[in-house]
């Protein structure tokens, strides 16, 4: 690849990346504002948590089909149509709000449709990155993608809190729609290289379901990739528990202000981790960095269960969120190198389905596990108050702490065992690069 071609492709990637960054911030504003709207009108944590479920589950379920379609379609137009569809759901919410007819189920439906659009958009975006960025710069490019998500995580809640008092929910939705238009415009202004299709693949494209199965088969016959995905699914299960239960855990010993401070520190950690990856790129081999920071992130979650201390939670949350973009970025970079560009849509769909399918399960079981099993065990007169309670304490929130510890011990052991397996440890050397 000539330097001029590499420069043009990087310029296209940077423009698309900037458009998606602005769109992510806008989407974050609406997500935060709708969550506040639902909670203020229902006072129900369950109703609020359902937004998280509907925002994720449809994307996971549709991903296998979406991946095959992304490989069939022009990926640039797939991103344009997906962003447009998400924008239309936002307009529908705005119209219902304007005429005073907005109901909770409308929000669940809109969030679900948005989730489906996001599945197509994300797969097209991910599969296009390998075409737009030279192979040696893929770790930095995936780091930039992670930094955009981190920036939205850090900025959107703070900005939405200010804007809610100034322009209210209607104004925030209008801002979100404007960011969708901006993202679509940036993609309209550029051209993507075509994915080079392997010889004979035209016959295979006669069946959509065959293409869907091809994504699953590609992973299933590569045991080392499958082990990595199962490990990520285990880690994501614990991540789902943390998403749901960290708020009540912190509020069991501190104020809402302290909770907000801890979350902001986590957002800052994610931002710095993303920037570090964008600048550094990562170690050689990348797999070593992945396992190092996965283990570090798990130790941080374990620390959440040990003590009720603001300083401990602040440091652990910072390190935890600092680790996430590094792990996700390096993971994506490895798979982008090892998968042919023309089938990356369906393969990454399989990757997302396996790796993230455990998060909705965590959303569903987190509340019952904490409220019906672990919190009673760690109550002042609970069954474990005289044993484990002497180490980590008793009372509100200590059951959640025990749940984190109980979940983390097998995940940490599984992480160590996976790294000791040579076929996983040498995945970058033993599997040939496809780009």
């Amino acid at each position: 690849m000539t330097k001029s071609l590499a420069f043009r492709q990087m310029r296209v990637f940077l423009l698309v990346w900037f458009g998606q960054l602005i769109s992510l911030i806008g989407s974050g504003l609406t997500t935060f504002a709708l969550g506040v709207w639902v909670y203020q009108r229902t006072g129900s944590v369950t109703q609020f948590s359902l937004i998280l479920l509907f925002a994720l589950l449809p994307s996971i379920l549709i991903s296998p089909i979406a991946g095959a379609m992304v490989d069939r379609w022009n990926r640039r137009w797939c991103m344009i149509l997906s962003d447009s569809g998400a924008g239309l759901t936002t307009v529908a919410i705005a119209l219902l709000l304007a005429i005073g007819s907005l109901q909770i189920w409308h929000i669940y439906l809109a969030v679900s449709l948005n989730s489906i659009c996001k599945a197509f958009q994300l797969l097209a975006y991910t599969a296009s990155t390998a075409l737009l960025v030279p192979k040696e710069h893929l770790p930095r490019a995936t780091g930039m993608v992670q930094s955009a998500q981190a920036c939205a995580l850090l900025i959107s809640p703070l900005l939405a809190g200010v804007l809610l008092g100034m322009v209210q929910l209607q104004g925030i939705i209008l801002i979100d729609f404007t960011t969708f238009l901006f993202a679509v415009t940036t993609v309209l202004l550029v051209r993507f290289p075509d994915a080079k299709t392997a010889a004979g693949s035209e016959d295979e494209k006669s069946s959509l379901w065959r293409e869907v199965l091809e994504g699953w088969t590609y992973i299933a016959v590569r045991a080392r990739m499958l082990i990595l995905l199962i490990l990520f699914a285990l880690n994501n299960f614990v991540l789902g528990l943390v998403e749901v239960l960290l708020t009540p855990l912190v509020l069991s010993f501190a104020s809402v202000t302290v909770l907000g401070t801890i979350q902001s520190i986590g957002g800052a950690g994610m931002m710095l981790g993303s920037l570090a990856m964008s600048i550094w790129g990562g170690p050689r081999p990348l797999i070593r960095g992945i396992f190092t920071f996965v283990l570090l992130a798990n130790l941080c979650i374990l620390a959440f269960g040990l003590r009720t201390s603001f300083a401990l939670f602040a440091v652990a949350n910072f390190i935890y969120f600092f680790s996430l973009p590094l792990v996700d970025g390096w993971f994506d970079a490895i798979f982008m190198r090892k998968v042919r560009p023309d089938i990356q849509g369906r393969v990454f769909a399989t990757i997302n389905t396996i790796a993230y399918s455990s998060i909705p399960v965590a959303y569903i079981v987190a509340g019952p596990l904490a409220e019906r099993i672990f919190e009673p065990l760690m109550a002042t007169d609970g069954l474990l108050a005289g044993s484990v309670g002497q180490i980590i304490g008793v009372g509100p929130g200590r059951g959640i702490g025990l749940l984190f510890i109980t979940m983390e011990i097998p995940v940490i052991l599984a992480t160590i065992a996976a790294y000791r397996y040579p076929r996983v440890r040498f995945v970058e050397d033993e599997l040939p690069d496809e780009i």
Side-chain angles (χ1 to χ4, degrees), residues 245 249 369-370 373-379 392-406:
L245 298 176
L249 175 58
L369 280 176
I373 300 176
F374 285 88
E375 281 293 298
L377 286 174
M378 300 304 295
I392 67 171
V394 296
R398 290 296 76 212
I400 296 176
L402 178 61
L403 174 58
F404 285 172
I405 295 171
T406 303

Side-chain angles (χ1 to χ4, degrees), residues 326-388:
L326 298 174
V327 171
D328 290 344
W330 293 332
F331 178 84
D332 285 348
I334 289 176
F335 275 75
M336 285 178 186
R337 290 173 176 172
K338 305 302 178 184
V339 180
R340 290 200 330 261
D342 60 296
I343 64 169
Q344 282 193 7
R346 69 200 80 166
V347 173
F348 271 96
T350 301
I351 290 170
N352 291 344
T353 301
I354 296 173
Y356 295 111
S357 59
S358 58
I359 296 181
V361 178
Y363 288 163
I364 294 170
V365 304
L369 280 176
E371 294 172 353
R372 299 180 185 178
I373 300 176
F374 285 88
E375 281 293 298
L377 286 174
M378 300 304 295
T380 306
D381 57 349
L383 186 63
L384 299 180
S387 53
V388 180

